[in-house]
Amino acid sequence: GRCQPQSTPFSNEKQVPLFMDFTWGAGGSTADTTTILADFCQNEVGVETNMHLTCTNMPHEKITSALAHAKEAGIRNIVALRGDPPVGQENWTATEGGFQCARDLVKFIRAEYGDYFGISVAGYPEGHPNAFVEVDSLGRQLSPSEQSRVAHVHVTQKNAKGEVTGTKIVSMVCPDDAFEKELDYLKSKIDAGADFIMTQLFYDAHVFKNFVEAAKAKGINVPILPGIMPIANWHGFQRMTEFCRTRVPDQMRATLEAAAAKSDDEFHRVGAELGVQMCKELKEMNVVGLHFFTLNLEKATYAMMHHLNILLEEPDDEGDDGNTGTKSG
């Protein structure tokens, strides 16, 4: 039987978003759930769907089947990703006859479906997490661009038994040469047929600005949509920024840590304020839109939208068309 999607993610439809996207688990672990939710969102809720599709540990036939189902369901937009390795596996591997990277997936979609699908790809304003190294290991001074991307990562320390013994702060960065390779690869995904870029989360608007400028210098002229992760709780914030090697400005981290020490309510209030401030900075850069990672926790997103005056119940808000290249109809 077909499962009934929960109502939580679809309360967002009241805000009439440009699109709603659904993640695809590593190795297709959530393939059935993703396609059901995407189908339901597109055809029952009536919101344009941007369905994630990864090619890590994915047999060719599973990709073919997913795309066929998406077209049959009237889904017109795909996020083409390499994806993460499955839980418990440290590195990703391509299956025999499968895809090596997101660019291969973009090429395949264009070859098989022409311009039917709008295709978006991932961009990493600070560099891909896998390209990060410890600053001390470089044995040299950082360039100005590297200094602007340095992330002070709180790394969990464990003993031989796997028990957590504490944390330490490690300064990490994607070196300039690796960052240039990331941009070259991003350009190749666009040249292969991608329509626009959705970025990884970040908490420093200047990092995004520098990334956009660097992308344009590479000849990347498609829309770049900033990824916004609302700050919902202290432990989740620490976990996500550690995993993604995200740069958190020192003042922001200190402010959040102080708020977390007071109460959850204070943390929610301060987290929303900091997120709103960054979004205002992004809007001043004339970004094409804001892509919120709600993770089914829409309250933190709504709090930010309220302060940004973009909730639909705010009578003066007229919205933003945010033409990113998604397809409809």
Side-chain angles (χ1 to χ4, degrees):
R2 180 174 176 173
C3 73
Q4 177 63 35
Q6 295 180 358
S7 61
T8 300
F10 302 107
S11 63
N12 296 320
E13 55 120 348
K14 298 174 183 177
Q15 304 305 323
V16 193
L18 177 64
F19 63 84
M20 195 180 298
D21 46 358
F22 297 92
T23 56
W24 185 274
S29 58
T30 64
D32 291 342
T33 301
T34 297
T35 51
I36 288 171
L37 288 172
D39 187 339
F40 185 84
C41 181
Q42 184 75 38
N43 297 296
E44 302 297 329
V45 181
V47 173
E48 201 63 46
T49 300
N50 201 19
M51 190 180 85
H52 291 214
L53 187 59
T54 70
C55 52
T56 299
N57 302 91
M58 287 279 290
H60 196 282
E61 310 79 62
K62 204 162 190 176
I63 295 289
T64 303
S65 175
L67 289 169
H69 178 87
K71 184 176 182 180
E72 181 182 351
I75 295 168
R76 300 294 309 276
N77 298 284
I78 300 291
V79 188
L81 303 164
R82 189 194 73 179
D84 298 319
V87 175
Q89 185 174 318
E90 195 166 324
N91 299 310
W92 74 276
T93 56
T95 58
E96 184 175 353
F99 301 94
Q100 295 289 328
C101 59
R103 179 182 57 212
D104 292 345
L105 183 55
V106 174
K107 288 181 178 180
F108 177 76
I109 294 172
R110 284 288 175 243
E112 294 295 314
Y113 291 93
D115 64 355
Y116 176 81
F117 288 110
I119 304 175
S120 52
V121 292
Y124 297 87
E126 297 163 317
H128 195 283
N130 291 350
F132 273 61
V133 299
E134 292 189 19
V135 170
D136 290 344
S137 72
L138 293 175
R140 60 171 174 79
Q141 289 188 332
L142 299 182
S143 70
S145 61
E146 287 171 335
Q147 290 176 13
S148 72
R149 297 193 304 273
V150 170
H152 303 298
V153 182
H154 286 237
V155 178
T156 301
Q157 294 179 299
K158 298 181 180 180
N159 60 23
K161 297 180 180 180
E163 299 168 335
V164 175
T165 58
T167 61
K168 67 174 182 178
I169 300 176
V170 178
S171 295
M172 304 188 75
V173 71
C174 176
D176 284 338
D177 57 347
F179 190 72
E180 286 297 313
K181 289 179 181 178
E182 289 291 331
L183 287 171
D184 288 336
Y185 175 60
L186 181 59
K187 177 66 161 58
S188 74
K189 289 192 286 186
I190 301 305
D191 291 344
D195 296 298
F196 71 100
I197 297 163
M198 299 195 300
T199 78
Q200 175 68 288
L201 66 99
F202 58 89
Y203 289 108
D204 187 336
H206 296 291
V207 166
F208 176 79
K209 180 182 179 183
N210 293 340
F211 172 69
V212 171
E213 291 175 351
K216 288 182 177 178
K218 285 287 185 181
I220 297 173
N221 297 309
V222 299
I224 300 178
L225 196 60
I228 310 299
M229 177 76 77
I231 304 172
N233 68 78
W234 177 233
H235 294 297
F237 174 80
Q238 288 180 300
R239 183 173 60 253
M240 188 60 71
T241 54
E242 178 182 325
F243 178 76
C244 297
R245 305 287 193 257
T246 309
R247 172 183 173 84
V248 180
D250 292 339
Q251 184 59 52
M252 173 183 278
R253 184 179 293 278
T255 301
L256 287 170
E257 191 166 6
K262 291 182 179 180
S263 68
D264 288 344
D265 287 344
E266 178 66 5
F267 185 85
H268 295 157
R269 183 188 68 79
V270 171
E273 286 181 357
L274 291 172
V276 166
Q277 179 57 41
M278 187 178 75
C279 288
K280 288 180 177 178
E281 293 178 35
L282 293 171
K283 290 178 72 175
E284 289 176 358
M285 299 175 195
N286 296 316
V287 294
V288 71
L290 299 171
H291 178 220
F292 289 101
F293 302 124
T294 62
L295 302 182
N296 293 343
L297 300 173
E298 74 277 11
K299 288 184 179 179
T301 302
Y302 288 169
M304 292 177 61
M305 293 173 67
H306 172 78
H307 291 295
L308 288 166
N309 294 321
I310 57 175
L311 274 178
L312 285 190
E313 54 261 36
E314 299 290 339
D316 295 330
D317 176 45
E318 295 181 357
D320 185 347
D321 288 336
N323 182 17
T324 61
T326 54
K327 294 182 180 289
S328 60

